[in-house]
């Protein structure tokens, strides 16, 4: 069997079209434009490119978007004051602070300072708690993107054995929580593997849906995958440069061998990656609707 590709690029494009229409409707009917501020402290090149991509997408969708470029020398107090200003700005519905922050700033303190109603990254403990009890307003973006990939590819999660490799707070734990909810697009039996797992292949071979977020190139090989499994590769590993000077990427799954065994598989790049920014936009539209009291 050769797996069909799940194209995150194509699914993200469809969702962005829907969000563009929704944004136009909000403006026309309720005079509300989803407002997003992205805050960048310093000049980390990867962070700069992520923030630029987020700004570009939000503008394409018709958002009211502001980019705050702050110097590396910004103090924690100044950043907290800036967040407070946007917490009180009624035109801004989503606040995104790009991580990592410079070492002299406490990231936890900063993330906790964002009004949970404007926490479109879904990292505030209030939103993490709501996700765990199945009452989320905002799901964290990468896990939300994975769930959308499954739903929109027609993958049945109800009753499925889902095995997740990785237990980080931004991918592994939240996707586990999302998929075990007694809800549409979820209701799976979930197992999480990590470096303390005794026999990882024993678990991964049982997976109807295998989600890998380990940050280890080609950690999952064909012998670890059940025939016909759906494989979602979250990993983004830089493994050198292309002749054009761009980073050469690979996932956590040995794509060439695993695609011969899986039924559906996400590529890297072009799989989970494009969904993350799209889900940030979806959360911002939702935040604008909640703020405006629109169903
Ligand atoms: P992380 O914080 O480093 O967590 C990695 C997790 O994988 C940890 O729980 C670790 O276990 C586990 N792990 C590592 N090696 C393992 C192994 N050999 N066997 C079993 N478990 C193993 O990473 P992350 O932030 O979740 O990111 C994971 C990957 O996804 C990275 O490549 C990252 O770049 C990518 N990512 C992509 C997107 C996107 O938008 N496409 C977004 C976020 C992350 P322990 O807890 O025991 O250490």
């Amino acid at each position: 069997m050769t797996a069909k590709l799940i194209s995150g690029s194509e699914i993200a494009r469809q969702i962005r079209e829907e969000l563009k229409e929704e944004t136009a409707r909000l403006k026309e009917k309720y005079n509300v434009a989803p407002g997003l501020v992205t805050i960048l402290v310093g000049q980390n090149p990867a962070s700069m490119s992520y923030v630029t991509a987020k700004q570009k997408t939000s503008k394409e969708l018709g958002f009211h978007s502001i980019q705050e470029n702050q110097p590396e020398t910004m103090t924690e107090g100044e950043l907290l004051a800036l967040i407070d200003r946007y917490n009180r700005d009624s035109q801004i519905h989503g606040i995104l602070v790009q991580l990592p922050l410079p070492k002299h700033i406490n990231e936890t303190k900063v993330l906790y300072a964002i009004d949970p109603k404007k926490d479109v990254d879904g990292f505030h403990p209030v939103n993490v708690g709501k996700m765990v009890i199945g009452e989320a307003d905002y799901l964290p973006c990468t896990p939300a993107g994975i769930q959308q990939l499954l739903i929109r590819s027609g993958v049945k999660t109800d009753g499925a054995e889902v095995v997740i490799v990785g237990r980080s707070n931004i991918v592994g734990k939240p996707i586990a929580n999302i998929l075990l909810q007694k809800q549409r697009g979820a209701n799976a039996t979930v197992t999480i593997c990590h470096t303390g797992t005794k026999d990882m292949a024993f678990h991964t071979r049982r997976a109807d849906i295998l989600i890998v977020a380990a940050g280890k190139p080609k950690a999952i090989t064909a012998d670890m995958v059940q025939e016909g499994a759906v494989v979602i590769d979250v990993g983004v590993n830089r493994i050198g440069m292309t002749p054009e000077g761009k980073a050469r990427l690979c996932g956590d799954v040995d794509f060439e061998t695993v695609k011969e065994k899986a039924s559906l598989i996400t590529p890297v790049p072009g799989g989970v990656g494009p969904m993350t920014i799209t889900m940030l936009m979806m959360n911002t539209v939702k935040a604008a609707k909640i703020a405006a009291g629109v169903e």
Side-chain angles (χ1 to χ4, degrees):
M1 171 186 291
T2 298
K4 274 203 220 155
L5 279 190
I6 297 180
S7 170
S9 307
E10 176 52 26
I11 293 173
R13 195 193 57 73
Q14 287 166 12
I15 297 174
R16 286 178 198 188
E17 278 307 312
E18 292 165 16
L19 292 173
K20 203 169 174 178
E21 283 171 21
E22 187 69 356
T23 300
R25 189 181 75 91
L26 279 172
K27 281 184 181 169
E28 195 184 302
K29 212 167 164 197
Y30 302 98
N31 199 24
V32 173
L36 176 68
V37 60
T38 50
I39 304 176
L40 174 68
V41 184
Q43 295 196 318
N44 175 320
S47 296
M48 283 167 74
S49 73
Y50 291 143
V51 165
T52 304
K54 288 166 188 174
Q55 276 295 320
K56 181 170 172 280
T57 308
S58 66
K59 288 200 174 110
E60 282 166 4
L61 299 186
F63 288 11
H64 163 59
S65 67
I66 298 176
Q67 181 161 348
E68 284 278 357
N69 289 322
Q70 295 291 333
E72 183 89 21
T73 51
M74 180 182 222
T75 65
E76 186 179 285
E78 286 167 342
L79 179 54
L80 293 174
L82 186 66
I83 290 170
D84 184 51
R85 178 150 72 76
Y86 284 114
N87 277 343
R88 287 183 284 107
D89 183 338
S90 61
Q91 284 195 305
I92 292 297
H93 307 103
I95 301 173
L96 179 127
V97 178
Q98 186 64 46
L99 302 179
L101 288 167
K103 287 203 167 47
H104 64 276
I105 299 180
N106 180 331
E107 276 184 7
T108 307
K109 207 165 165 184
V110 167
L111 294 181
Y112 287 20
I114 298 171
D115 181 341
K117 292 191 207 72
K118 299 191 178 189
D119 169 41
V120 284
D121 246 344
F123 291 158
H124 193 287
V126 166
N127 289 321
V128 175
K130 284 177 130 182
M131 172 187 69
V132 171
I133 62 172
E135 292 189 5
D137 292 319
Y138 314 115
L139 294 173
C141 300
T142 301
I146 295 170
Q147 187 185 35
Q148 284 297 319
L149 286 180
L150 294 172
I151 292 173
R152 288 172 185 250
S153 304
V155 176
K156 188 170 167 276
T157 51
D158 193 341
E161 290 286 340
V162 170
V163 176
I164 298 161
V165 180
R167 57 175 161 188
S168 72
N169 289 335
I170 62 166
V171 188
K173 281 182 200 152
I175 190 62
N177 274 290
I178 291 167
L179 293 181
L180 68 75
Q181 299 298 330
K182 199 167 182 177
Q183 289 172 358
R184 183 182 155 263
N187 208 28
T189 303
V190 179
T191 304
I192 309 181
C193 299
H194 44 75
T195 58
T197 301
K198 277 194 194 134
D199 182 354
M200 193 164 73
F202 166 79
H203 297 284
T204 59
R205 271 190 222 115
R206 289 190 303 106
D208 301 318
I209 302 170
L210 177 61
I211 301 173
V212 192
K216 295 281 178 310
K218 302 188 181 178
I220 300 297
T221 47
D223 57 311
M224 299 168 80
V225 177
Q226 178 178 199
E227 191 78 41
V230 174
V231 179
I232 307 288
D233 189 353
V234 189
V236 179
N237 304 291
R238 287 173 172 74
I239 49 159
M241 301 297 268
T242 64
E244 300 81 44
K246 285 190 172 167
R248 199 186 291 278
L249 303 178
C250 85
D252 290 348
V253 172
D254 183 8
F255 183 82
E256 288 308 321
T257 61
V258 171
K259 81 172 179 357
E260 299 305 324
K261 224 164 165 191
S263 58
L264 285 168
I265 189 167
T266 58
V268 178
V272 175
M275 296 298 289
T276 299
I277 292 183
T278 303
M279 292 300 110
L280 177 73
M281 303 302 141
M282 190 184 257
N283 280 345
T284 307
V285 169
K286 190 163 187 197
K289 288 165 86 173
I290 292 173
V294 177
E295 264 308 298

